[in-house]
Amino acid sequence: MIFKKSADYFQVAQGVWGTRILFVNVYFIANRRGFPKGWVLVDAGIQGSASHIISVAESIFGTGAKPSAIILTHAHSDHTGALEELLKQWDVPVYAHEYEVPYITGKSSYPPSDPTVGEGIMSIMSLLFRKKPLDVSKNVRIIDMENGIAELPEWRIIHTLGHTPGHISLFLPLNTTLIVGDAFVATKQESAIYSISNIKRISGPPRYMTTDWVAAEASVKILSSMEPRIAGTGHGPVLRGRELQEGLRNLAENFVELAVPAGGRYAETPAEADETGTYYVPPFRSTTKFKAVAGLAGALAGFAIIKAFVK
Ligand SMILES: [Zn+2]
Ligand SMILES: [Zn+2]
């Protein structure tokens, strides 16, 4: 069992809690108008974490606690891994942006991740990549971006695309709390050591899975302009106060230098998608780093062949 037995969670803000599952966070939001008005789960962790999520929910809200809805910031497999398992216990609506829906109704797949910008996390992530597309059609509801989500009336939903086409963030104006998924994160998610150790560092969206960097920059600028006092991200510790505002402003102002990978697959040309799913993926161009690795591998193979021949 890789997950802690005890229901281990942390408070983000009044009525908002999070729990960390290995290297990814999920959040629990109570309606501030009172617990009887219900609560929602934001994101659904990695595969095999349903019992952990349920036990945290029961620790916060009481035995048998059930959310009134599950909201997805986006549908990457580290944010939806336990979704099918959870829905067996909690048959509730699953809200996602219209552009994210194709990836949870078995209609489309995300563009391939970019292994050239993975920096070590790719080997862990590859274990989590879904073999077949997720299909929870029966429970899916498209988010009404104008009116928000009925089960969470006080929160605004913001389309923070870039990391994925239908990525959303949640904002509570009352105390300027943000739940941002992977629009930006609080650790260097590409680095396996940073990520697993939960080392704090305000960073752009995880590089290996971000497929539109121009949109990702615009999204970070929008989030920064909201001057949040608290931010819960998909990866890393909760960010607060000046550290958050200054760090986020710095990220927004220097996004290209700080966040965009040099020469990655999607660095110059984005993948494109709409409500039907992914419809354009830029061709893979080998980067310098990859050329070097390929060159070395080629040299070693050549050496082995030569050696075999001259024996
Ligand atoms: Zn993601
Ligand atoms: Zn993530």
Side-chain angles (χ1 to χ4, degrees):
M1 187 70 179
I2 49 173
F3 310 116
K4 295 176 200 101
K5 274 208 192 80
S6 63
D8 207 351
Y9 60 93
F10 51 87
Q11 182 138 30
V12 178
Q14 196 189 345
V16 185
W17 299 266
T19 189
R20 179 169 164 246
I21 303 156
L22 217 55
F23 60 89
V24 65
N25 299 320
V26 304
Y27 294 95
F28 306 80
I29 305 179
N31 275 313
R32 292 167 55 99
R33 288 173 189 153
F35 281 10
K37 294 270 184 191
W39 60 279
V40 303
L41 177 73
V42 180
D43 288 347
I46 57 175
Q47 208 175 356
S49 64
S51 58
H52 173 86
I53 293 170
I54 291 166
S55 75
V56 171
E58 293 195 337
S59 300
I60 299 169
F61 302 109
T63 310
K66 180 181 164 184
S68 35
I70 297 173
I71 301 170
L72 300 177
T73 60
H74 64 303
H76 279 156
S77 42
D78 54 332
H79 296 252
T80 53
L83 187 59
E84 285 172 296
E85 236 178 307
L86 286 172
L87 290 176
K88 281 181 200 153
Q89 182 123 349
W90 297 333
D91 189 16
V92 297
V94 174
Y95 283 95
H97 186 277
E98 183 182 17
Y99 281 18
E100 212 64 12
V101 165
Y103 310 106
I104 52 173
T105 50
K107 299 223 163 56
S108 186
S109 298
Y110 285 117
S113 57
D114 185 350
T116 65
V117 296
E119 291 180 37
I121 197 76
M122 285 306 297
S123 49
I124 298 169
M125 287 301 297
S126 63
L127 297 172
L128 299 167
F129 289 150
R130 210 170 259 117
K131 306 289 180 283
K132 61 176 176 59
L134 177 63
D135 186 357
V136 290
S137 304
K138 192 172 75 68
N139 296 75
V140 171
R141 308 278 184 278
I142 294 173
I143 298 173
D144 176 343
M145 294 302 290
E146 247 171 63
N147 300 311
I149 294 169
E151 286 84 348
L152 201 62
E154 290 179 312
W155 289 68
R156 278 171 51 195
I157 313 298
I158 311 151
H159 189 194
T160 46
L161 65 165
H163 181 59
T164 67
H167 189 289
I168 56 130
S169 299
L170 295 96
F171 182 64
L172 180 64
L174 195 68
N175 59 6
T176 59
T177 296
L178 272 174
I179 302 293
V180 300
D182 289 356
F184 67 91
V185 295
T187 190
K188 196 173 180 302
Q189 178 62 12
E190 299 78 34
S191 157
I193 294 165
Y194 268 73
S195 177
I196 300 288
S197 316
N198 215 28
I199 297 169
K200 198 191 282 183
R201 178 163 143 178
I202 299 184
S203 307
R207 291 178 170 179
Y208 48 90
M209 296 288 277
T210 299
T211 53
D212 186 340
W213 286 100
V214 172
E217 178 174 11
S219 293
V220 165
K221 287 193 156 83
I222 290 169
L223 293 173
S224 174
S225 73
M226 302 178 91
E227 302 190 339
R229 269 175 288 200
I230 304 167
T233 70
H235 306 274
V238 178
L239 300 162
R240 295 174 198 282
R242 190 181 293 170
E243 182 189 31
L244 165 63
Q245 292 192 350
E246 286 177 0
L248 188 54
R249 198 177 311 125
N250 182 41
L251 180 65
E253 284 168 6
N254 304 291
F255 191 82
V256 173
E257 301 87 273
L258 294 175
V260 182
R265 180 169 189 165
Y266 304 101
E268 275 160 35
T269 316
E272 290 182 39
D274 58 18
E275 71 282 1
T276 65
T278 309
Y279 64 82
Y280 173 74
V281 179
F284 184 74
R285 292 178 302 118
S286 61
T287 63
T288 320
K289 199 167 157 189
F290 238 58
K291 272 184 195 149
V293 174
L296 183 63
L300 287 172
F303 182 64
I305 291 165
I306 291 164
K307 222 176 142 202
F309 270 91
V310 296
K311 236 198 284 192

